[in-house]
């Protein structure tokens, strides 16, 4: 069940002086409150969707929405807003900010993983594990057992799995057979480049 909708919170309060109240006809100040409306999901603000201005007569306490007041009061309100405009607070963008942070973190993680993979391909070490796609379209791993100036020797994993994300489940010592393979350093770098394209 998804809880979504709109809410409002007070973002500015102030006073307009010397106005004639439409209800009591008294020349008096009017207090105003500006509420920022925002859309939310699970009560976390997503983005602002507008503002609502409520004014109250200091004399008779009658309240009005700005749009229902005479033009001269609206003009005084707008003049005051030009000097000190009410802005949506940053908290009204909370969920967008969280989503943005997640996207940036994901991009950074992807870049970091690519950088580490490139380093593994160029400088393999004993114990490194490489994943590969088998002829059947599944995934498996191989473990580096020896590195020389020109070659990389690996022990092959005798297990395959259909999802790359589940490779750690088969990457256990008992699954690596006595089957071995040797690759040149250039082949390892080419495997990495092929996987990137």
């Amino acid at each position: 069940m998804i809880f979504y909708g709109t809410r409002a919170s007070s973002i500015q309060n102030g006073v307009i002086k010397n106005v004639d109240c439409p209800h009591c006809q008294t020349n008096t100040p009017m207090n105003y409150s500006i509420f920022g409306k925002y859309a939310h999901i699970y009560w976390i603000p997503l983005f602002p969707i507008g503002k609502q201005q409520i004014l109250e007569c200091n004399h008779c306490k009658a309240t009005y929405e700005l749009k229902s007041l005479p033009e001269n009061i609206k003009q005084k309100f707008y003049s005051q807003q030009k000097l000190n405009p009410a802005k949506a607070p940053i908290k009204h963008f909370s969920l967008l900010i969280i989503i943005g942070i997640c996207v940036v973190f994901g991009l950074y993680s992807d870049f970091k993983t690519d950088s580490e993979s490139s380093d593994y391909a160029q400088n393999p070490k004993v114990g490194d594990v490489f994943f590969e796609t088998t002829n059947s379209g599944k995934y498996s791993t191989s473990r580096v057992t020896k590195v020389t100036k020109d070659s990389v020797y690996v022990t092959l994993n005798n297990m395959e799995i259909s999802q790359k994300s589940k490779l750690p489940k088969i990457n256990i010592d008992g699954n690596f057979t006595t089957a071995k393979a040797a690759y040149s350093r250039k082949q390892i770098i080419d495997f990495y480049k092929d996987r990137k394209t």
Side-chain angles (χ1 to χ4, degrees):
M1 179 182 223
I2 296 178
F3 295 99
Y4 61 92
T6 60
R7 287 184 150 195
S9 66
S10 178
I11 59 175
Q12 190 182 74
N13 296 303
V15 178
I16 302 172
K17 295 182 179 174
N18 299 321
V19 292
D20 294 325
C21 173
H23 182 259
C24 67
Q25 306 300 316
T26 306
N27 186 280
T28 182
M30 290 185 100
N31 295 324
Y32 68 83
S33 294
I34 301 175
F35 294 90
K37 294 188 204 176
Y38 58 89
H40 69 83
I41 297 177
Y42 286 107
W43 302 282
I44 300 172
L46 181 57
F47 54 83
I49 55 173
K51 297 180 187 125
Q52 182 178 24
Q53 302 86 4
I54 304 293
L55 291 91
E56 179 185 64
C57 173
N58 272 3
H59 183 259
C60 69
K61 303 301 181 190
T63 58
Y64 307 92
E65 280 194 56
L66 180 66
K67 62 186 175 185
S68 67
L69 288 169
E71 200 60 36
N72 64 330
I73 297 176
K74 289 181 186 177
Q75 289 308 315
K76 280 195 170 192
F77 176 83
Y78 293 137
S79 296
Q80 191 160 338
Q81 280 299 296
K82 281 183 184 176
L83 300 173
N84 183 22
K87 297 177 183 173
I90 197 158
K91 70 179 181 178
H92 286 188
F93 296 91
S94 297
L95 196 53
L96 287 180
I97 292 169
I98 291 168
I99 291 168
I101 289 170
C102 290
V103 167
V104 168
F105 179 75
L107 292 172
Y108 172 76
S109 294
D110 192 41
F111 170 77
K112 187 87 170 141
T113 300
D114 286 348
S115 175
E116 289 171 354
S117 296
S118 174
D119 188 47
Y120 287 142
Q122 291 175 4
N123 302 303
K125 295 179 179 66
V126 172
D128 285 353
V129 176
F130 295 103
F131 84 85
E132 56 194 48
T133 306
T134 64
N135 293 337
S136 62
K138 294 186 177 181
Y139 300 98
S140 190
T141 59
S142 56
R143 185 179 291 162
V144 177
T145 56
K146 182 179 176 187
V147 178
T148 64
K149 184 177 177 182
D150 299 325
S151 302
V152 178
Y153 298 88
V154 297
T155 303
L156 303 176
N157 191 325
N158 66 356
M159 299 292 287
E160 296 178 348
I161 199 157
S162 59
Q163 293 178 340
K164 186 165 57 168
S165 62
K166 300 209 175 181
L167 278 171
K169 287 187 174 185
I170 65 166
N171 194 26
I172 55 176
D173 290 339
N175 290 343
F176 288 93
T177 64
T178 54
K180 298 184 186 295
Y183 303 102
S184 70
R185 284 182 175 257
K186 183 182 180 319
Q187 283 178 303
I188 296 288
I189 291 169
D190 289 344
F191 290 153
Y192 170 74
K193 288 179 181 174
D194 288 345
R195 204 179 83 205
K196 289 288 292 168
T197 55

